[in-house]
Amino acid sequence: DAGVTQSPTHLIKTRGQHVTLRCSPISGHKSVSWYQQVLGQGPQFIFQYYEKEERGRGNFPDRFSARQFPNYSSELNVNALLLGDSALYLCASSLSQGLFSGNTIYFGEGSWLTVV
Amino acid sequence: AQSVAQPEDQVNVAEGNPLTVKCTYSVSGNPYLFWYVQYPNRGLQFLLKYITGDNLVKGSYGFEAEFNKSQTSFHLKKPSALVSDSALYFCAVSAYNFNKFYFGSGTKLNVKP
């Protein structure tokens, strides 16, 4: 089975532009979360979606938005890009919402965004 | 508020020696604790988790971690380090019924031959 797949793997954008990052969860997984990892830091939670509904939001401005599609894939959108948005954006998937012994969260390889 | 502290930015060990990567946490309610490893320019790979049950948790690649509620710690251990274990290790905690993790700042493990 394929793992969590993300696209694009690398991209360069100019300040003020917008970007769309895509994520396909592991087959059968219904929960998708997004994290931002700035160089030298741990990942920071942005959003969680489960069954196409937003279930959690981190401390990020409204320029960040996301959605989940009927096939459980997800998009992260960032508008009006700033230099500080340069980071590795990680998508994570799990079977369902909630933490129980049978549920593990798996991360994709990430999308490297550079804003110039 | 939930938080994770990884007090060491870097840990150096010789191949074949035991290794410990430290993690302490602060959480309201029962903690759910995880370790992930990140190789250069890669995503996070799951190593192990503590949800409930035995305090000693065994994970992938020979790693284990011990949950200590009184010390609010969840240190990662391995009896015999390999050069290939050299990577960035992240501890994470969640205390909610959804998948929001709070990550530590990471510890770089260097295993020298």
Side-chain angles (χ1 to χ4, degrees):
Chain A
D1 278 346
V4 180
T5 57
Q6 294 186 242
S7 63
T9 53
H10 294 81
L11 69 166
I12 300 173
K13 290 286 188 177
T14 304
R15 276 179 298 175
Q17 287 187 314
H18 78 274
V19 67
T20 297
L21 307 177
R22 296 178 176 83
C23 172
S24 292
I26 293 171
S27 177
H29 285 196
K30 297 182 178 180
S31 174
V32 170
S33 301
W34 288 94
Y35 288 79
Q36 180 196 64
Q37 186 179 15
V38 173
L39 197 62
Q41 298 181 18
Q44 299 286 319
F45 174 77
I46 310 175
F47 288 110
Q48 192 225 7
Y49 278 77
Y50 176 66
E51 289 285 15
K52 302 173 285 280
E53 291 186 7
E54 181 184 305
R55 301 300 180 106
R57 174 184 283 255
N59 189 24
F60 280 80
D62 292 343
R63 300 185 295 108
F64 288 77
S65 63
R67 55 180 175 167
Q68 187 177 32
F69 299 98
N71 67 354
Y72 302 108
S73 66
S74 178
E75 283 183 355
L76 175 70
N77 293 283
V78 186
N79 293 326
L81 285 167
L82 303 174
L83 295 179
D85 295 330
S86 296
L88 176 66
Y89 288 85
L90 294 164
C91 175
S93 82
S94 60
L95 277 170
S96 66
Q97 180 178 311
L99 293 164
F100 52 92
S101 60
N103 200 20
T104 297
I105 295 133
Y106 297 94
F107 285 82
E109 294 292 318
S111 294
W112 286 95
L113 171 65
T114 301
V115 182
V116 296
Chain B
Q2 278 59 240
S3 66
V4 171
Q6 293 183 242
E8 302 155 317
D9 290 337
Q10 187 166 298
V11 170
N12 298 311
V13 298
E15 187 175 32
N17 283 1
L19 68 88
T20 298
V21 183
K22 295 180 181 177
C23 171
T24 59
Y25 65 89
S26 174
V27 68
S28 302
N30 293 323
Y32 302 97
L33 295 154
F34 297 76
W35 277 101
Y36 286 85
V37 60
Q38 187 174 40
Y39 293 96
N41 301 316
R42 304 294 297 275
L44 301 177
Q45 292 183 26
F46 170 75
L47 281 180
L48 51 80
K49 64 184 177 186
Y50 172 82
I51 303 295
T52 185
D54 287 342
N55 290 341
L56 185 64
V57 178
K58 294 190 182 297
S60 305
Y61 312 118
F63 285 94
E64 59 188 28
E66 186 166 12
F67 171 62
N68 187 318
K69 189 172 182 177
S70 62
Q71 296 185 5
T72 62
S73 67
F74 190 58
H75 300 331
L76 181 70
K77 300 182 180 185
K78 187 174 183 181
S80 178
L82 299 172
V83 172
S84 57
D85 293 331
S86 298
L88 190 56
Y89 289 80
F90 288 99
C91 180
V93 67
S94 181
Y96 298 95
N97 194 29
F98 68 99
N99 306 146
K100 179 177 181 179
F101 282 2
Y102 294 86
F103 281 88
S105 55
T107 298
K108 185 177 180 184
L109 174 66
N110 295 314
V111 182
K112 305 214 164 141

